[in-house]
Amino acid sequence: MTSIGSDDRGWLRTVSAESGRDTPLSRAGQRIQTNRRLSDLVQGRPPGVTGSQWSSASRASFDFVVRSADTGRAVVAVEIGPVAAPGSAEQRAERLKDAVSEAVGLPVLRIGSPTLRAAEHGRRLVEYVIDARAYAAGSAVVAASDDEPVPTGFRDILGRLPDGRTGAVNDLGALTRAAVVEAYVAGRVADPIVRGLHVRWADGPAQGWSWVQVRPDACLVERVSVTEHRFSCGIDPARLAEDLATVAVGERLREDAVAELVPRAELTAQIVALGRRRDELVGGFAFDHLCAD
């Protein structure tokens, strides 16, 4: 669908134009609202969208909406949950929602995961992205000065981890990594190391894989996709996807939901197959060392 609407036409509502159904959370000059329908965000049917399309799309909702506390304008709408199956009704609804969002200039961040859910993981994720964007904006100012060294990236800031070690304090998977070590000591997994990879498709989302070897011949594997529409997370979305996949591994271990394990040889074959598609990836494929079983 060709979109011809824009935020400059005033299609997006501000906070003051909405009914006060809840008290927004605040973070770094942003307000975080939950469970907003597209009709709560858009003032009427935008140009380029048919009446039938608007009728369907307007009832769809986002898990979170982040707004500027100063202007009330939407910074991003966020969705977290399973990726819609190709050709499904869910995928058609998602495309309609994307078309309307495109028409009115609404930025969208979509996290695709069979394990992560908005209720349990959404607030932490949204706050993390707000912090990463604020840090990136400050780093850009510093980087513009010839007198200052280039700042460390948000994801790579070192500090004290919950288990007492020094490491990347903004690694969302840090708790999972510590939990896997504990599980290894308790004999619940066969290897104490959480492994992973991340890629970014040239014509699609960023994707992160994470896995732990539960048995010598079988692994618990999680995959997460991160899709940015007219939006930047403030960090590499592919690295964010891998960290979120590691969070999902931790959820599965915590719930002891490890029945659906992937044979180690099959996982290696999947990695090899991914590597063969390196020409379709932004920056190629940097994980050939994982292709040997």
Side-chain angles (χ1 to χ4, degrees), residues 80-166:
I80 305 169
V83 175
S88 65
E90 290 78 11
Q91 186 186 61
R92 291 191 293 273
E94 185 177 283
R95 288 176 174 174
L96 275 177
K97 187 160 52 173
D98 284 347
V100 173
S101 298
E102 174 72 24
V104 299
L106 174 65
V108 175
L109 173 63
R110 183 169 287 117
I111 308 298
S113 167
T115 300
L116 302 181
R117 294 292 184 272
E120 292 81 10
H121 312 99
R123 178 178 174 180
R124 175 71 184 98
L125 168 63
V126 172
E127 291 177 340
Y128 183 91
V129 169
I130 290 173
D131 292 346
R133 284 170 56 85
Y135 183 87
S139 296
V141 173
V142 173
S145 172
D146 294 334
D147 300 329
E148 297 290 341
V150 176
T152 301
F154 181 78
R155 169 61 173 76
D156 298 318
I157 296 172
L158 297 179
R160 188 178 180 85
L161 298 177
D163 61 2
R165 296 180 298 111
T166 297

Side-chain angles (χ1 to χ4, degrees), residues 34-290:
T34 59
N35 299 319
R36 283 296 187 268
R37 285 189 175 187
L38 199 56
S39 58
D40 294 330
L41 309 177
V42 179
Q43 302 184 91
R45 177 168 62 89
V49 178
T50 69
S52 176
Q53 291 169 336
W54 173 243
S55 177
S56 298
S58 63
R59 295 191 296 270
S61 62
F62 291 101
D63 296 313
F64 297 91
V65 174
V66 179
R67 294 184 180 276
S68 166
D70 293 334
T71 67
R73 288 182 177 271
V75 175
V76 65
V78 183
E79 281 190 334
I80 305 169
V83 175
S88 65
E90 290 78 11
Q91 186 186 61
R92 291 191 293 273
E94 185 177 283
R95 288 176 174 174
L96 275 177
K97 187 160 52 173
D98 284 347
V100 173
S101 298
E102 174 72 24
V104 299
L106 174 65
V108 175
L109 173 63
R110 183 169 287 117
I111 308 298
S113 167
T115 300
L116 302 181
R117 294 292 184 272
E120 292 81 10
H121 312 99
R123 178 178 174 180
R124 175 71 184 98
L125 168 63
V126 172
E127 291 177 340
Y128 183 91
V129 169
I130 290 173
D131 292 346
R133 284 170 56 85
Y135 183 87
S139 296
V141 173
V142 173
S145 172
D146 294 334
D147 300 329
E148 297 290 341
V150 176
T152 301
F154 181 78
R155 169 61 173 76
D156 298 318
I157 296 172
L158 297 179
R160 188 178 180 85
L161 298 177
D163 61 2
R165 296 180 298 111
T166 297
V169 294
N170 293 320
D171 171 11
L172 288 171
L175 292 178
T176 293
R177 300 181 205 283
V180 169
V181 172
E182 294 177 359
Y184 174 74
V185 172
R188 294 178 54 216
V189 300
D191 191 296
I193 300 174
V194 179
R195 292 176 170 80
L197 61 82
H198 55 268
V199 297
R200 188 167 188 175
W201 296 98
D203 59 350
Q207 189 177 60
W209 300 19
S210 184
W211 62 90
V212 62
Q213 197 168 322
V214 176
R215 299 198 304 259
D217 61 345
C219 300
L220 170 60
V221 183
E222 284 284 331
R223 296 179 178 87
V224 171
S225 63
V226 173
T227 306
E228 301 170 309
H229 293 295
R230 302 168 301 282
F231 182 74
S232 172
C233 290
I235 62 173
D236 179 0
R239 292 188 70 189
L240 175 60
E242 182 179 340
D243 285 348
L244 289 173
T246 302
V247 173
V249 166
E251 286 297 303
R252 295 272 300 280
L253 283 175
R254 184 176 63 82
E255 297 171 358
D256 204 25
V258 296
E260 297 181 7
L261 300 180
V262 177
R264 184 175 173 182
E266 181 180 331
L267 175 60
T268 300
Q270 292 173 0
I271 297 171
V272 170
L274 181 63
R276 288 174 180 159
R277 301 179 64 183
R278 67 188 68 223
D279 291 343
E280 303 173 49
L281 303 173
V282 176
F285 183 74
F287 300 94
D288 289 310
H289 61 285
L290 297 173

